[in-house]
Amino acid sequence: MHNGDDGDSLERAAREFTKARPQLFGIAYRLLGSAVEAEDIVQEAWLRWQNADRSGIREPAAFLATVTTRLAINFTQSARVRRETYIGPWLPEPLNTTADPQVGAERAEALDMAVLLLMEKLNPVERAAYVLREAFDYAYSEIADILETSEPNTRQLVSRARKHLSSERREPVSSDAHRRLLEVFLAAAQDGDLKVLEEVLTTDVVSYADGGGVRGASKIPVFGREHVSKYLIAFASRFWAETHVSWVEVNGRPAVLVSTDGQPVALLCVDVSARGIERLMWVMNPDKLNHYVASLTA
């Protein structure tokens, strides 16, 4: 008999899905870098769960995690095609993590905006193996089953992902130190203080502005301390005039929401190491901004 025909069974299935849902969203979000796309994946997982023959499924959470991971991997291809035609740099969709600092994970790993951005360079299977291991503490054997590969190959996938990320990013500082440096940067950027900007930015800093075609957002990344500093000085008087700045949390880190006349115009996230600010990430795409702002009052 199909379990979906039984009311009690469907009610139990809904409870099991609700219990697993935070982790399912956490997996999908880390694999796709988009809360909207992650929600779509989770909804599709729910439909698959409703229509499955659940009588032989002993571990619903494991089944659902497998379905969600595979759906997200398959979705990655179309997502990457869309990002190839994206106007300007693409940044992960910012997430308000005040309600759930770990977003359903065992550990708050693979959640930082900079990590999500770097993970775009991994292939989908490497990314899935890394996320399941580092954020959700899955055993290698469990990951191998989900990805339909061998355990030795799973270990290699995770190892390659770790090496790539560690080679691309320096160890981040604490949240307190992160905020202190962002405060110094913000004051210098608003005042157009070139000397201080050059002190807080690393020599190889990169500034990304994700505008999705919005006017005023740079369509190419800006590289290097000298170029980034001059770029910030050039638009300081226009950008910061009559703006309101709010401190918020994005993907577990302090960030700054910039608004004009009550409307968000940018969300500034930074990647900070002991050397200084390594990356500036300006989220200016109205869709991403509005989705984030809506989450603040949800």
Side-chain angles (χ1 to χ4, degrees), residues 45-267:
W46 163 240
L47 295 175
R48 300 281 182 99
W49 179 235
Q50 277 184 292
N51 295 321
D53 180 2
R54 297 182 297 274
S55 60
I57 299 174
R58 291 182 296 177
E59 298 182 21
F63 174 88
L64 288 165
T66 298
V67 169
T68 299
T69 302
R70 292 177 183 174
L71 284 170
I73 289 173
N74 292 337
F75 189 83
T76 299
Q77 186 60 43
S78 60
R80 288 193 170 183
V81 169
R82 287 195 300 276
R83 288 166 196 174
E84 287 173 0
T85 59
Y86 195 80
I87 300 174
W90 178 92
L91 290 173
E93 184 179 345
L95 203 63
N96 173 22
T97 44
T98 55
D100 181 359
Q102 297 180 329
V103 194
E106 294 290 335
R107 299 189 293 263
E109 296 296 328
L111 185 58
D112 191 289
M113 286 280 284
V115 175
L116 290 171
L117 179 61
L118 290 175
M119 285 201 298
E120 287 291 304
K121 297 180 181 180
L122 302 177
N123 71 52
V125 178
E126 284 177 341
R127 184 166 181 167
Y130 178 82
V131 165
L132 292 171
R133 180 63 183 171
E134 296 301 317
F136 296 90
D137 202 27
Y138 274 71
Y140 286 106
S141 58
E142 294 173 316
I143 301 171
D145 289 341
I146 291 172
L147 299 181
E148 298 180 299
T149 187
S150 67
E151 186 172 336
N153 188 47
T154 299
R155 291 180 180 274
Q156 290 180 353
L157 289 169
V158 175
S159 177
R160 283 202 300 268
R162 284 175 178 158
K163 288 177 181 176
H164 175 80
L165 294 176
S166 63
S167 69
E168 292 272 344
R169 188 188 187 214
R170 290 174 173 81
E171 185 71 22
V173 297
S174 69
S175 287
D176 288 343
H178 181 112
R179 172 158 178 155
R180 285 195 297 271
L181 198 59
L182 182 51
E183 287 174 340
V184 174
F185 168 82
L186 184 61
Q190 290 173 316
D191 294 341
D193 191 329
L194 182 62
K195 183 175 183 298
V196 174
L197 286 174
E198 291 180 338
E199 288 174 354
V200 299
L201 300 175
T202 60
T203 55
D204 51 355
V205 63
V206 185
S207 178
Y208 303 91
D210 177 344
V214 72
R215 185 178 180 184
S218 175
K219 294 181 181 179
I220 58 172
V222 183
F223 295 90
R225 177 188 288 154
E226 182 179 356
H227 290 119
V228 172
S229 297
K230 290 180 178 178
Y231 169 72
L232 293 168
I233 295 295
F235 73 72
S237 59
R238 299 192 308 276
F239 182 77
W240 297 106
E242 300 180 8
T243 58
H244 174 73
V245 170
S246 304
W247 284 92
V248 292
E249 182 180 295
V250 173
N251 294 49
R253 289 284 182 172
V256 171
L257 179 64
V258 184
S259 304
T260 301
D261 297 327
Q263 297 300 313
V265 294
L267 185 62

Side-chain angles (χ1 to χ4, degrees), residues 20-40:
R21 194 183 190 289
Q23 186 181 91
L24 305 183
F25 176 83
I27 291 172
Y29 174 73
R30 286 169 173 82
L31 293 187
L32 298 169
S34 166
V36 173
E37 292 172 355
E39 290 286 2
D40 290 341

